[in-house]
Amino acid sequence: MGLTAARVVGAIMLAGLGWFVSDLIRPLMPESTIFGWFNYVNLGLGWIVGWSMLGPKAGSGMMAALGNGVTVAFAMGFLGLFTQAVNEMLRLSTRKMYAGPMKAIEDLFRIMAEFGQVLLHPTVIGPLIIGAVVIAVLVEMANSVWR
């Protein structure tokens, strides 16, 4: 589990994709939304997914790379949804919006569903999936060039 070209290329490129998709999401959210560290968190999630999921799977061939790209796109989407929903739930809980911890956990799923609707917008999901597949192919090429 060392440093490989596939891991580095996957991490850097998926981090960039995380930032790019974050910028695509911003106009779809309400104007009152305070984003804070939104782009940086999604950049970090892209780095983690690229390093731990995409990089190690390189070397299986181009057809496997296509499947790996779709897999990491959904992984990034789910991790992003979960992370941002937990952040929103914690923000609401500090304002005493929940009667107890179970109500907060229940609301987590509602928040994920609301954010998921934004993620499923064609201007967001399309570039996410296409970008992840292209990146997976590039990671496969990097793995074959730098072994």
Side-chain angles (χ1 to χ4, degrees):
M1 227 165 98
L3 180 70
T4 63
R7 282 180 184 248
V8 172
V9 169
I12 291 171
M13 294 186 88
L14 280 180
L17 182 65
W19 186 280
F20 176 72
V21 170
S22 297
D23 282 342
L24 295 177
I25 291 171
R26 285 176 178 262
L28 301 174
M29 297 297 286
E31 287 186 26
S32 62
T33 304
I34 300 170
F35 287 99
W37 289 82
F38 181 71
N39 283 42
Y40 296 101
V41 169
N42 291 333
L43 179 139
L45 291 174
W47 180 274
I48 291 168
V49 170
W51 184 268
S52 63
M53 288 184 70
L54 188 57
K57 290 184 179 182
S60 303
M62 285 297 173
M63 291 307 291
L66 300 176
N68 293 342
V70 173
T71 301
V72 298
F74 283 105
M76 280 181 63
F78 178 78
L79 285 174
L81 276 175
F82 182 75
T83 303
Q84 301 300 336
V86 166
N87 181 46
E88 179 67 11
M89 179 199 62
L90 291 173
R91 185 186 70 78
L92 292 174
S93 69
T94 58
R95 295 188 175 163
K96 309 277 189 211
M97 300 295 286
Y98 302 118
M102 287 309 293
K103 293 292 182 186
I105 292 172
E106 287 174 12
D107 198 41
L108 174 67
F109 296 105
R110 180 195 59 80
I111 295 168
M112 283 181 70
E114 285 179 8
F115 289 173
Q117 289 176 343
V118 174
L119 186 64
L120 291 176
H121 195 276
T123 61
V124 176
I125 194 74
L128 176 62
I129 292 174
I130 292 169
V133 168
V134 169
I135 289 169
V137 168
L138 293 174
V139 166
E140 188 67 34
M141 290 168 52
N143 184 62
S144 65
V145 171
W146 296 297
R147 290 191 183 214

